[in-house]
Amino acid sequence: MPPSIMLLLIAAAILLGVMLSWGLSVSSQTSTSAAVPVGSQSERGVDASGLPVLTENSIGKEVQRLVDTGTLQNPASFDVTACMQEQGVDDQILMIEEVSWMDSGPAWLLVHSATTADVIHTEGGEVNATVVRSSCGTPESKGASSSRLWNGAVKLVPTS
């Protein structure tokens, strides 16, 4: 085989390898969420003011962290009981944490369940999470749909 054809085959193999490597790299990169504001400390999941940034994709991890650590934030700056009544929820509050929900500004993550926190710790299971505006349950609130930013159920694993 002539040396010129051999060099051409080697160059084509190298070019093909570089193209495949680049294609694999591009296809396996994860994109960042558009919900995290520019300038935030997204690697730690907090915004510029230090509040945890929540999205529908990260809320399960945040609720699991809250229940695992058992920490509670300072008391809410609004009437939580009135807020829960406005939302039509009869569950007991397990955890409350002030958060930043996408572009809506400060909000509150309410973790609630019909069962106790001890049962959730030992057996795991589903708890409900509701993200509400700070105006929830106040006279200026325009009802449950205007103060609720997100609600859903989150499945938690038991802690050993």
Side-chain angles (χ1 to χ4, degrees), residues 44-116:
R44 292 188 321 197
V46 296
D47 67 5
S49 64
L51 295 175
V53 176
L54 292 184
T55 64
E56 290 181 29
N57 296 328
S58 66
I59 196 163
K61 292 176 185 173
E62 181 67 13
V63 171
Q64 181 76 54
R65 183 191 65 77
L66 279 174
V67 173
D68 285 349
T69 60
T71 59
L72 287 171
Q73 285 287 81
N74 294 331
S77 59
F78 64 99
D79 187 350
V80 179
T81 305
C83 178
M84 294 299 281
Q85 289 172 349
E86 178 183 287
Q87 297 297 317
V89 177
D90 294 328
D91 293 348
Q92 62 179 336
I93 295 285
L94 300 176
M95 305 282 171
I96 301 172
E97 183 163 317
E98 189 173 12
V99 296
S100 179
W101 182 263
M102 299 185 197
D103 294 332
S104 68
W108 290 91
L109 168 62
L110 309 174
V111 180
H112 50 95
S113 178
T115 178
T116 65

Side-chain angles (χ1 to χ4, degrees), residues 129-148:
T130 305
V131 180
V132 296
R133 297 184 199 287
S134 295
S135 63
C136 180
T138 61
E140 58 268 3
S141 176
K142 296 176 182 138
S145 62
S146 67
S147 59
R148 182 178 47 238

Side-chain angles (χ1 to χ4, degrees), residues 10-25:
I10 291 174
I14 291 173
L15 183 60
L16 181 63
V18 168
M19 288 175 34
L20 288 173
S21 165
W22 177 79
L24 179 62
S25 172

